[in-house]
Amino acid sequence: MQLDVVDDLKQPEYTGANRCEPCTVLNLVIAAVVGSVIARKSRLGGVLAVGVSIALIYLRGYLVPGTPTLTKRYLPPAVLRWFGKEPDPAVASGLGTVDSTDRPAAGRETTFDEADAVASTDTDAVSDESTADADEPAVADLETFFLDHDVLEPCADRDDLCLTDEFETAWFDEIDPLTDSGVDVDAAVDAFGFDADPDEFELETRGESRALLSSAGGAGRWPSRAALIADIAASRALETWTDDWDAFDPETKGEVLNGLRMFLETCPSGGDVRMGEEVVESCCTSHEVVAVTCEETGERLFEQRLTDVDA
C-alpha cells in the first residue's frame, strides 16, 4: 500500500534525467524557508515539514502544486533564462507548416536539453574553443553548399531536396562500421577537427543523448547515439567528397553536419525515419518542435523549434 502511494506521487517527466536542477534548488530553498517559519513555533514540526518537502521534491520534481503549469504560463522569458530554459534561437529560416514531405531549412537545431535535462543548451551545434582563422572557408547557405557539392538534389517524387544516391552510398559506407563498432572520443574529436588532444575531451551519455565535454565546457551535443554516428560518418564522407572540408572550423562543420542529418531517410541503426511535430516539455517550459526520429528505435536524429521554422 505504501509503495502504491509512492508510485502515485512519482512524476518521471520532472525527475531523474528530466529533473530541472535550478528548479530543484529553488524548491529546496522554499522548503527551507517554510520549515524555518514552522520551526519558530514547533521545532519538530519544522523538521517534519522540511522532510516531507524534500520527499515531495525528490518524487515529484517540485514542491508547490501546479509549478510546471504556472511557470510555463506566467514566467516571462527573462526569468526562464535564469533556469536555463530559454535557449538561443536557432539560426535557420523556415518553410511554414511542416509535414512528412516539408523540411525546415537546413541549419542549426535548437536545444534538446529541455527534453532530457541536459542543462547548458551549451551549444546546439559544435562550438570551437579557439578563435577561427579569418582565412577559413565559410558556408553562407547550407542548401547551396549541399547542391553545389552534389550532396543533395531535387527529389524525383516530390517538391523537396533529397540525398544524391552517390553521397547516400558514401555516407552509409561510413555509417555501417560505426554502427557495429561504436564511437569514442577520438572519433568525435577527429570528425569536427578540434585542434586539441582527444584526452582533453570526454564523451558522456545522458539518457538517450550524447555530449562531448572538455575542461572549457560543452563542445557538442547530440539527441542520440544514432545522431552522433550520422555526424561522424558524414564528416568522414565529406573529407573525400569536398576539397576543403578539413579547412572548415569545428563550428562550421557542426552546422553543416547538423543540417545534413535531417535529410536521412534511413536510420543509422536501421529502419525508416519519420518527421513530425512534437511537444517538448520540461518543468519550466514547453514548446513544439519539428523532429526527425527513427521509427524502429525512437532515437531522435534532429529537432528544431516550430517557432523557428515558421519565423
Side-chain angles (χ1 to χ4, degrees), residues 8 45 66 87 140 148 158 165-167 171 226 257:
D8 290 341
D148 288 348
R158 60 185 185 276
D165 291 340
E166 294 80 5
F167 184 78
W171 195 354
L257 297 174

Side-chain angles (χ1 to χ4, degrees), residues 145 149 151 167 170-171 174 186-187 189-193 231-248 253 256-257 260:
F145 174 83
H149 288 85
V151 173
F167 184 78
W171 195 354
E174 299 292 348
D186 288 26
V189 171
D190 180 65
F192 292 92
D231 279 6
I232 293 175
S235 179
R236 292 177 177 180
L238 287 168
E239 272 190 80
T240 57
W241 204 261
T242 64
D243 295 331
D244 52 0
W245 179 249
D246 288 338
F248 288 124
K253 287 183 176 180
V256 171
L257 297 174
L260 183 59

